[in-house]
Amino acid sequence: MATKKAAGKDATVGEGKVSKRRVLSMFPTDVGSLTKEERTNLTFKPNSMGEVIIQALDKHGIEAGDKRKQVVEQVKAKFKDASDSTIRTQIYRGIVNMRAITGTLG
């Protein structure tokens, strides 16, 4: 038996949906295997680790060495409670994302 609320609803609500943006705090584990379309649908919450990493990578670059250390320090300053392994993992995923977007491999 249908309730009054369910009786008035259309059964085709899910059809014709446009792809949703995924709002995340961190990079997903499969960021390297996402298609270009899926990658463009990724958005990050304001002041989240993912957004801070993207800003730091844009500012300092994705190269190894001193520039990578600057990115790590910028993220550590913002997220003092996060472990070093979490920060480094997210930075590497951010680098994979940036390289896929720009099309550079090295």
Side-chain angles (χ1 to χ4, degrees), residues 6-102:
K9 291 189 177 184
D10 188 8
T12 61
V13 172
E15 290 183 18
K17 282 187 177 180
V18 181
S19 63
K20 288 184 177 180
R21 289 197 170 271
R22 291 175 59 186
V23 181
L24 306 168
S25 296
M26 296 182 161
F27 289 96
T29 57
D30 62 345
V31 71
S33 64
L34 295 176
T35 64
K36 192 176 238 184
E37 181 180 315
E38 292 170 331
R39 200 172 288 109
T40 57
N41 288 335
L42 291 178
T43 56
F44 295 95
K45 294 178 183 176
N47 297 319
S48 67
M49 188 178 286
E51 184 177 302
V52 171
I53 289 171
I54 289 175
Q55 291 170 357
L57 289 171
D58 283 340
K59 181 178 179 182
H60 301 293
I62 59 174
E63 296 85 24
D66 290 336
K67 294 187 179 204
R68 182 88 43 90
K69 288 178 186 176
Q70 292 172 345
V71 172
V72 170
E73 291 303 317
Q74 184 174 341
V75 176
K76 277 186 183 180
K78 178 78 175 173
F79 299 97
K80 294 177 177 110
D81 294 338
S83 69
D84 289 342
S85 60
T86 300
I87 291 172
R88 291 190 183 279
T89 299
Q90 291 302 312
I91 288 173
Y92 293 138
R93 288 180 186 169
I95 291 169
V96 168
N97 186 50
M98 297 292 282
R99 285 182 177 167
I101 289 171
T102 60

